[in-house]
Amino acid sequence: MLKLYNTLTRKKEEFIPIDKDNKIVKIYTCGPTVYYYAHIGNLRAYLFMDNLRRVLKYNGYSLKHVMNITDVGHLVSDADEGEDKMLKAAKRENKTPFEIANYYLNTFMEDIDKLNIDKPEIIARATEHIDIMEQYVKKIIENGYAYETENTIYFDTSKLDKYGVLSNRNIDEQKKGARVEFDNGKKNISDFALWIKAPENHLMKWDSFFGKAYPGWHLECSAMSYKYLGEVFDIHTGGMDHIPVHHENEIAQSKGFSGNIPAKYWLHVDFLQVNGGKMAKSLNNLYTLEDLSKRGYEPLVYRMFNFSSSYKMPINFTFEAMDAAKVSLKRLRDGYLAHEACDDDIDDSIIKEYETRFLEAINDNLNMPVALSVVWDVIKSQKKSKKLAELLLKFDEVLGFNLKDYKEDKNIPKEVIDLMNKRKEARENKDYEVSDKLRDEILSLGYIVKDTKEGQEVKKV
Ligand code: AMP
Ligand code: ZN
């Protein structure tokens, strides 16, 4: 039984999809705003998305999953204040907002591929869905959930039976803590912009029932999820920072549009931290995948690093932890190759037990640290067997390290791998005489073996 923590009910719940007979799961993920390189904090959010997809598939579900790309830009803060991120980037780089969006969308997709992230079936750009957003706003207005000021159409949160179901806040409390000045004409502090009249020199704008205008940033997710997944779908994911405003506003819009909370399960990934604080563009403490590569960490090491904590917990970024992840990745690959090269007899009941433990871990709200402990038990098994290599490949459907390709990529002859495995065993038993003999044998096959902190490394002479 798959259990997921649902922010909406504040409980770990059994996951039952709406279309349980056909085992189809409909998911929506809030995607990136493509105005700069993704930092590794952002990428944690998409590694979580990948983890969820893989666990659902492992459980036999087929997916219809939508992720948006925010290329319209939105006002700097969730609360509709400040400068438009896309426009700011366009000015900074002396490009059009469309050029900015295309460039950073490309770099984002490259990062996604490098991390071997399983991509959603539908990737939807906001600028290609302005018409559906306009229809969506019109219906909200028709249903009586919006009002108009001189320049903006606002969502009227006082029309809802409750605003703040996800974060369990109430509007009165929010008013007390409010520092933000009301925009002229805005009625309630939690009201937010749906549709905004574009000033004369605004670069991104569209003809609409409200003149030349552009959408408020919460709108795209409601309109696009509705278009592709319908009024109510199974799972909505995003970062923790989306809970208090963006996702509350998506829920508000959907209630104004169809009367429904759009998703049954709301899943949120916690933050990657640096020294206990947030990693963010605005704090100037961010790393990209490329920064990590320059320091000698391939992207999959970052994938491994993320498995050291549950997605529901913050994770602290340090280079020591990255070193440990590097060692783990090597251990996994070597362990796989060691099993792949041997044929010891393994009882099926043992394999079954590993499988059960692995499934229980991933189905416990994607508990990857526990799932990995099962992987290490398989690797450590005294008996080496192709059957266990097969099992690791099966687990790799969830882990996503492309173990199968690793074997093919290395192109090291099987005899060399066999000898390396024997040598590893000899070294573990402190039998250095045998270990040296094996090294000479490997050398005679044209390969040189070196002992490093991370284990044996082999190269062609
Ligand atoms: P943005 O492109 O700014 O809209 O952010 C894209 C995603 O990254 C969102 O889901 C955020 O919640 C997430 N995010 C931003 N910073 C971090 C961080 N330090 N750790 C984890 N996720 C983050
Ligand atoms: Zn969203």
Side-chain angles (χ1 to χ4, degrees):
M1 185 209 309
L2 172 58
K3 285 190 160 188
L4 298 172
Y5 182 86
N6 188 351
T7 310
L8 188 62
T9 56
R10 287 164 273 280
K11 278 199 303 258
K12 221 193 273 184
E13 290 176 13
E14 180 182 355
F15 174 70
I16 304 169
I18 297 164
D19 190 356
K20 59 178 186 303
D21 296 338
N22 294 310
K23 294 205 91 180
I24 295 171
V25 182
K26 294 186 177 174
I27 314 172
Y28 187 89
T29 290
C30 289
T33 309
V34 281
Y35 68 105
Y36 199 57
Y37 298 103
H39 60 70
I40 55 173
N42 299 136
L43 293 172
R44 178 177 201 213
Y46 304 106
L47 280 168
F48 155 67
M49 168 189 92
D50 163 272
N51 196 204
L52 175 67
R53 285 180 60 81
R54 288 173 182 273
V55 167
L56 287 166
K57 284 183 177 178
Y58 194 89
N59 278 278
Y61 292 112
S62 355
L63 311 183
K64 183 167 184 191
H65 184 176
V66 181
M67 179 175 75
N68 67 305
I69 301 290
T70 302
D71 57 355
V72 180
H74 55 79
L75 302 171
V76 158
S77 75
D78 272 354
D80 295 338
E81 305 153 64
E83 202 178 357
D84 187 307
K85 287 180 181 177
M86 294 297 301
L87 298 184
K88 203 169 148 186
K91 276 191 221 157
R92 179 186 71 219
E93 300 186 22
N94 204 14
K95 288 186 182 148
T96 67
F98 294 101
E99 284 168 342
I100 292 284
N102 287 342
Y103 179 78
Y104 290 114
L105 174 56
N106 245 334
T107 63
F108 175 76
M109 296 313 287
E110 279 168 19
D111 285 351
I112 291 288
D113 286 341
K114 282 181 197 159
L115 286 168
N116 198 26
I117 286 173
D118 190 32
K119 288 197 273 282
E121 285 64 34
I122 299 166
I123 295 185
R125 288 178 74 146
T127 49
E128 289 166 8
H129 295 80
I130 302 292
D131 52 344
I132 182 90
M133 292 189 222
E134 188 180 1
Q135 286 168 34
Y136 202 98
V137 172
K138 282 178 163 168
K139 177 97 183 282
I140 293 178
I141 298 172
E142 234 173 80
N143 290 347
Y145 284 86
Y147 59 92
E148 187 178 317
T149 65
E150 196 185 331
N151 295 319
T152 307
I153 293 174
Y154 279 110
F155 189 95
D156 187 348
T157 51
S158 69
K159 290 279 161 67
L160 298 169
D161 45 353
K162 182 175 164 62
Y163 173 81
V165 286
L166 206 55
S167 40
N168 211 14
R169 283 178 310 154
N170 76 48
I171 299 181
D172 292 339
E173 260 172 42
Q174 213 190 328
K175 275 183 190 156
K176 273 188 243 151
R179 281 180 291 113
V180 202
E181 291 292 313
F182 277 35
D183 168 39
N184 42 358
K186 187 166 145 177
K187 291 186 194 162
N188 310 290
I189 188 75
S190 47
D191 292 354
F192 56 93
L194 292 168
W195 204 251
I196 306 148
K197 224 169 236 170
E200 193 59 34
N201 57 355
H202 202 84
L203 294 173
M204 287 179 127
K205 55 192 165 195
W206 290 266
D207 286 322
S208 76
F209 67 98
F210 201 46
K212 285 219 180 293
Y214 61 98
W217 102 270
H218 311 293
L219 192 61
E220 64 184 84
C221 293
S222 293
M224 296 198 284
S225 64
Y226 165 66
K227 172 172 171 157
Y228 294 107
L229 304 175
E231 287 177 5
V232 183
F233 50 95
D234 296 299
I235 305 177
H236 197 311
T237 84
M240 291 284 279
D241 53 331
H242 288 149
I243 299 174
V245 182
H246 179 52
H247 286 172
E248 294 293 11
N249 291 353
E250 273 190 48
I251 290 175
Q253 287 169 157
S254 176
K255 281 192 170 172
F257 179 81
S258 71
N260 292 304
I261 293 182
K264 299 265 186 215
Y265 301 83
W266 292 75
L267 271 57
H268 293 98
V269 52
D270 209 318
F271 270 70
L272 174 79
Q273 301 189 329
V274 188
N275 300 325
K278 183 177 163 181
M279 170 176 278
K281 286 167 193 136
S282 57
L283 296 177
N284 216 12
N285 63 358
L286 57 85
Y287 297 102
T288 61
L289 268 195
E290 200 175 327
D291 294 331
L292 296 186
S293 287
K294 281 184 192 147
R295 288 173 183 249
Y297 304 101
E298 64 175 295
L300 292 183
V301 171
Y302 183 61
R303 175 181 268 275
M304 180 64 93
F305 162 83
N306 273 275
F307 288 150
S308 58
S309 151
S310 151
Y311 79 89
K312 281 299 299 165
M313 301 289 285
I315 185 168
N316 200 35
F317 181 82
T318 62
F319 284 106
E320 287 75 35
M322 284 292 287
D323 287 338
K326 194 173 180 179
V327 173
S328 298
L329 181 57
K330 178 152 174 46
R331 201 168 141 218
L332 174 66
R333 287 167 166 170
D334 289 348
Y336 166 68
L337 291 180
H339 282 307
E340 170 60 27
C342 298
D343 245 336
D344 288 352
D345 189 36
I346 298 271
D347 201 284
D348 283 346
S349 66
I350 293 176
I351 301 212
K352 189 89 211 112
E353 196 188 315
Y354 286 134
E355 265 180 328
T356 307
R357 283 172 57 209
F358 185 82
L359 185 66
E360 270 172 14
I362 59 172
N363 281 0
D364 179 16
N365 197 32
L366 321 182
N367 194 335
M368 294 312 290
V370 173
L372 265 189
S373 71
V374 182
V375 171
W376 300 135
D377 285 350
V378 174
I379 300 256
K380 277 187 310 205
S381 157
Q382 288 299 318
K383 288 190 175 176
K384 303 287 174 207
S385 150
K386 276 198 172 36
K387 276 192 194 169
L388 291 179
E390 282 300 314
L391 182 66
L392 288 171
L393 285 185
K394 183 165 183 206
F395 291 169
D396 198 40
E397 289 168 23
V398 173
L399 304 174
F401 289 111
N402 258 342
L403 277 183
K404 202 158 197 293
D405 290 350
Y406 178 71
K407 178 184 68 173
E408 286 153 11
D409 281 355
K410 282 288 267 194
N411 223 6
I412 293 172
K414 189 171 170 311
E415 305 103 282
V416 175
I417 291 168
D418 289 352
L419 291 170
M420 279 176 70
N421 289 332
K422 281 192 193 148
R423 185 169 178 271
K424 184 164 173 261
E425 230 172 87
R427 290 182 68 78
E428 278 163 3
N429 296 332
K430 302 207 177 340
D431 193 344
Y432 297 111
E433 210 177 279
V434 172
S435 152
D436 287 349
K437 248 177 66 192
L438 288 164
R439 187 181 49 205
D440 293 343
E441 258 184 79
I442 292 171
L443 192 61
S444 69
L445 292 171
Y447 286 81
I448 199 154
V449 65
K450 232 174 55 186
D451 297 300
T452 70
K453 210 168 66 196
E454 281 118 31
Q456 300 182 91
E457 248 173 44
V458 70
K459 264 202 324 224
K460 254 196 144 104
V461 182

CSV table of all heavy atoms in Angstrom, one decimal, residues 30-33 39 41-42 44-46 85 238-239 241-242 270-272 278-279 281, ligand 1:
chain,number,residue,atom,x,y,z
A,30,CYS,N,4.3,22.4,-10.2
A,30,CYS,CA,4.6,23.7,-10.5
A,30,CYS,C,6.1,23.8,-11.0
A,30,CYS,O,7.0,23.4,-10.3
A,30,CYS,CB,4.5,24.6,-9.3
A,30,CYS,SG,2.8,24.8,-8.9
A,31,GLY,N,6.3,24.2,-12.2
A,31,GLY,CA,7.6,24.2,-12.9
A,31,GLY,C,8.4,25.5,-12.6
A,31,GLY,O,7.9,26.3,-11.8
A,32,PRO,N,9.5,25.6,-13.3
A,32,PRO,CA,10.4,26.8,-13.1
A,32,PRO,C,9.9,28.1,-13.8
A,32,PRO,O,9.2,28.0,-14.7
A,32,PRO,CB,11.7,26.3,-13.7
A,32,PRO,CG,11.2,25.5,-14.9
A,32,PRO,CD,10.0,24.7,-14.4
A,33,THR,N,10.4,29.2,-13.2
A,33,THR,CA,10.3,30.4,-13.9
A,33,THR,C,11.6,30.6,-14.6
A,33,THR,O,12.7,30.6,-14.0
A,33,THR,CB,10.2,31.6,-12.9
A,33,THR,OG1,9.1,31.3,-12.0
A,33,THR,CG2,9.9,32.9,-13.6
A,39,HIS,N,19.3,26.7,-9.9
A,39,HIS,CA,20.3,26.3,-8.9
A,39,HIS,C,19.9,24.9,-8.3
A,39,HIS,O,18.8,24.4,-8.6
A,39,HIS,CB,20.4,27.4,-7.8
A,39,HIS,CG,19.2,27.7,-7.0
A,39,HIS,ND1,18.7,26.8,-6.1
A,39,HIS,CD2,18.4,28.8,-7.0
A,39,HIS,CE1,17.6,27.3,-5.5
A,39,HIS,NE2,17.4,28.5,-6.0
A,41,GLY,N,19.1,24.0,-5.5
A,41,GLY,CA,17.9,23.9,-4.7
A,41,GLY,C,16.7,23.7,-5.5
A,41,GLY,O,15.9,22.9,-5.3
A,42,ASN,N,16.6,24.5,-6.6
A,42,ASN,CA,15.5,24.3,-7.5
A,42,ASN,C,15.5,22.8,-8.0
A,42,ASN,O,14.4,22.2,-8.1
A,42,ASN,CB,15.6,25.1,-8.8
A,42,ASN,CG,15.6,26.6,-8.6
A,42,ASN,OD1,16.4,27.4,-9.1
A,42,ASN,ND2,14.7,27.1,-7.7
A,44,ARG,N,16.5,20.2,-6.6
A,44,ARG,CA,16.0,19.2,-5.6
A,44,ARG,C,14.4,19.0,-5.8
A,44,ARG,O,13.9,17.9,-5.7
A,44,ARG,CB,16.2,19.7,-4.2
A,44,ARG,CG,15.7,18.7,-3.2
A,44,ARG,CD,15.9,19.1,-1.7
A,44,ARG,NE,15.8,17.8,-1.0
A,44,ARG,CZ,15.3,17.7,0.2
A,44,ARG,NH1,15.0,18.8,0.9
A,44,ARG,NH2,15.2,16.5,0.8
A,45,ALA,N,13.8,20.2,-6.1
A,45,ALA,CA,12.3,20.1,-6.3
A,45,ALA,C,12.0,19.1,-7.4
A,45,ALA,O,11.0,18.4,-7.4
A,45,ALA,CB,11.7,21.5,-6.5
A,46,TYR,N,12.8,19.1,-8.5
A,46,TYR,CA,12.5,18.3,-9.7
A,46,TYR,C,13.0,16.8,-9.5
A,46,TYR,O,12.5,15.9,-10.1
A,46,TYR,CB,13.0,18.9,-11.0
A,46,TYR,CG,12.3,20.3,-11.0
A,46,TYR,CD1,13.1,21.5,-10.8
A,46,TYR,CD2,11.0,20.4,-11.2
A,46,TYR,CE1,12.4,22.7,-10.7
A,46,TYR,CE2,10.3,21.7,-11.1
A,46,TYR,CZ,11.1,22.8,-10.9
A,46,TYR,OH,10.5,24.0,-10.8
A,85,LYS,N,10.0,39.3,-13.0
A,85,LYS,CA,11.3,38.7,-13.1
A,85,LYS,C,11.8,38.5,-14.5
A,85,LYS,O,13.0,38.7,-14.8
A,85,LYS,CB,11.2,37.3,-12.5
A,85,LYS,CG,11.1,37.2,-11.0
A,85,LYS,CD,11.0,35.8,-10.5
A,85,LYS,CE,10.9,35.7,-9.0
A,85,LYS,NZ,10.7,34.4,-8.5
A,238,GLY,N,4.8,20.6,-5.5
A,238,GLY,CA,5.6,21.9,-5.5
A,238,GLY,C,6.5,22.0,-4.4
A,238,GLY,O,6.7,21.1,-3.6
A,239,GLY,N,7.2,23.2,-4.2
A,239,GLY,CA,8.1,23.4,-3.1
A,239,GLY,C,7.3,23.9,-1.9
A,239,GLY,O,6.2,24.4,-2.1
A,241,ASP,N,7.6,26.5,-0.3
A,241,ASP,CA,7.4,27.9,-0.4
A,241,ASP,C,6.1,28.2,-1.2
A,241,ASP,O,5.5,29.3,-1.1
A,241,ASP,CB,8.5,28.6,-1.1
A,241,ASP,CG,8.9,28.0,-2.4
A,241,ASP,OD1,8.7,26.8,-2.6
A,241,ASP,OD2,9.4,28.8,-3.3
A,242,HIS,N,5.5,27.2,-1.8
A,242,HIS,CA,4.3,27.4,-2.6
A,242,HIS,C,3.0,27.3,-1.7
A,242,HIS,O,2.0,27.7,-2.1
A,242,HIS,CB,4.1,26.4,-3.7
A,242,HIS,CG,5.1,26.6,-4.8
A,242,HIS,ND1,5.6,25.6,-5.6
A,242,HIS,CD2,5.6,27.7,-5.3
A,242,HIS,CE1,6.4,26.0,-6.5
A,242,HIS,NE2,6.4,27.3,-6.4
A,270,ASP,N,10.7,19.8,0.9
A,270,ASP,CA,11.3,20.8,1.7
A,270,ASP,C,12.6,21.4,1.1
A,270,ASP,O,13.1,20.9,0.0
A,270,ASP,CB,11.6,20.2,3.1
A,270,ASP,CG,11.6,21.3,4.2
A,270,ASP,OD1,12.2,22.4,3.9
A,270,ASP,OD2,11.1,21.1,5.3
A,271,PHE,N,13.2,22.3,1.7
A,271,PHE,CA,14.3,23.1,1.1
A,271,PHE,C,15.7,22.5,1.2
A,271,PHE,O,16.0,21.8,2.2
A,271,PHE,CB,14.3,24.5,1.6
A,271,PHE,CG,13.5,25.4,0.8
A,271,PHE,CD1,12.1,25.3,0.9
A,271,PHE,CD2,14.1,26.4,0.0
A,271,PHE,CE1,11.3,26.2,0.1
A,271,PHE,CE2,13.3,27.2,-0.8
A,271,PHE,CZ,11.9,27.1,-0.7
A,272,LEU,N,16.5,22.7,0.2
A,272,LEU,CA,17.9,22.5,0.3
A,272,LEU,C,18.5,23.7,1.0
A,272,LEU,O,18.2,24.9,0.6
A,272,LEU,CB,18.6,22.4,-1.1
A,272,LEU,CG,20.1,22.3,-1.1
A,272,LEU,CD1,20.5,20.9,-0.8
A,272,LEU,CD2,20.6,22.7,-2.5
A,278,LYS,N,18.3,29.2,3.7
A,278,LYS,CA,17.8,28.8,2.4
A,278,LYS,C,18.8,29.1,1.3
A,278,LYS,O,19.6,30.0,1.4
A,278,LYS,CB,16.6,29.7,2.1
A,278,LYS,CG,15.8,29.5,0.8
A,278,LYS,CD,14.6,30.4,0.7
A,278,LYS,CE,14.1,30.4,-0.7
A,278,LYS,NZ,13.0,31.3,-0.9
A,279,MET,N,18.9,28.2,0.3
A,279,MET,CA,19.7,28.5,-0.9
A,279,MET,C,18.8,29.2,-1.9
A,279,MET,O,17.8,28.7,-2.3
A,279,MET,CB,20.2,27.2,-1.5
A,279,MET,CG,20.9,27.4,-2.8
A,279,MET,SD,21.6,25.9,-3.5
A,279,MET,CE,23.2,25.9,-2.7
A,281,LYS,N,18.5,32.4,-5.1
A,281,LYS,CA,19.2,33.4,-6.0
A,281,LYS,C,19.3,34.7,-5.3
A,281,LYS,O,20.4,35.4,-5.3
A,281,LYS,CB,18.3,33.7,-7.2
A,281,LYS,CG,18.3,32.5,-8.2
A,281,LYS,CD,17.2,32.6,-9.3
A,281,LYS,CE,17.2,31.3,-10.0
A,281,LYS,NZ,15.8,30.8,-10.2
B,1,AMP,P1,11.2,29.1,-9.2
B,1,AMP,O1,11.9,28.8,-10.6
B,1,AMP,O2,11.9,30.2,-8.5
B,1,AMP,O3,9.7,29.2,-9.4
B,1,AMP,O4,11.5,27.8,-8.3
B,1,AMP,C1,11.3,26.5,-8.9
B,1,AMP,C2,11.1,25.5,-7.8
B,1,AMP,O5,12.3,25.4,-6.9
B,1,AMP,C3,10.0,25.7,-6.8
B,1,AMP,O6,9.2,24.5,-6.7
B,1,AMP,C4,10.6,26.1,-5.5
B,1,AMP,O7,9.8,25.7,-4.5
B,1,AMP,C5,11.9,25.3,-5.6
B,1,AMP,N1,13.0,25.9,-4.7
B,1,AMP,C6,13.5,27.1,-4.7
B,1,AMP,N2,14.5,27.2,-3.9
B,1,AMP,C7,14.7,25.9,-3.3
B,1,AMP,C8,15.6,25.3,-2.4
B,1,AMP,N3,16.6,26.0,-1.8
B,1,AMP,N4,15.4,24.0,-2.1
B,1,AMP,C9,14.4,23.3,-2.7
B,1,AMP,N5,13.6,23.8,-3.5
B,1,AMP,C10,13.7,25.1,-3.9
